[in-house]
Amino acid sequence: MPDRNIFPAVWSYSNLLANATTTLKSGSGILRSIVINNAGASANTCTVYDNTAGSGTVIATIDTVELNGRVLEYDVRFGTGLTIVLATGTAADITVMYR
């Protein structure tokens, strides 16, 4: 049996570019990180839900302008699903890594 420490974890990712509600995964998983690639020209909020809809248990609410260019590491489990809502102002460009 191979040593699990030799092989890095494989993460799924999604690059989000528009103000919308996007369900990335149904069921349980792990939110690894969110990269704020470009905050957009005006205020934008990214809300992360443990749900298959843009409601319910909030994992994080992110002001993308304040955190432009940052990598936000979470390493947290979600149980119901992973949904991201980008809203308000000019859409941010973010990349979400999860499994």
Side-chain angles (χ1 to χ4, degrees), residues 18-72:
N19 285 345
T21 299
T22 306
T23 299
L24 300 177
K25 184 173 177 19
S26 294
S28 63
I30 298 171
L31 171 60
R32 168 69 177 120
S33 60
I34 298 175
V35 180
I36 312 298
N37 301 310
N38 187 330
S42 63
N44 190 277
T45 301
C46 171
T47 307
V48 183
Y49 292 95
D50 180 353
N51 203 346
T52 55
S55 62
T57 303
V58 175
I59 296 172
T61 303
I62 303 162
D63 180 340
T64 62
V65 174
E66 289 294 320
L67 298 171
N68 190 35
R70 301 265 181 98
V71 176
L72 308 174

Side-chain angles (χ1 to χ4, degrees), residues 78-94:
F78 53 87
T80 304
L82 180 62
T83 298
I84 307 292
V85 178
L86 286 174
T88 312
T90 304
D93 171 354
I94 69 168

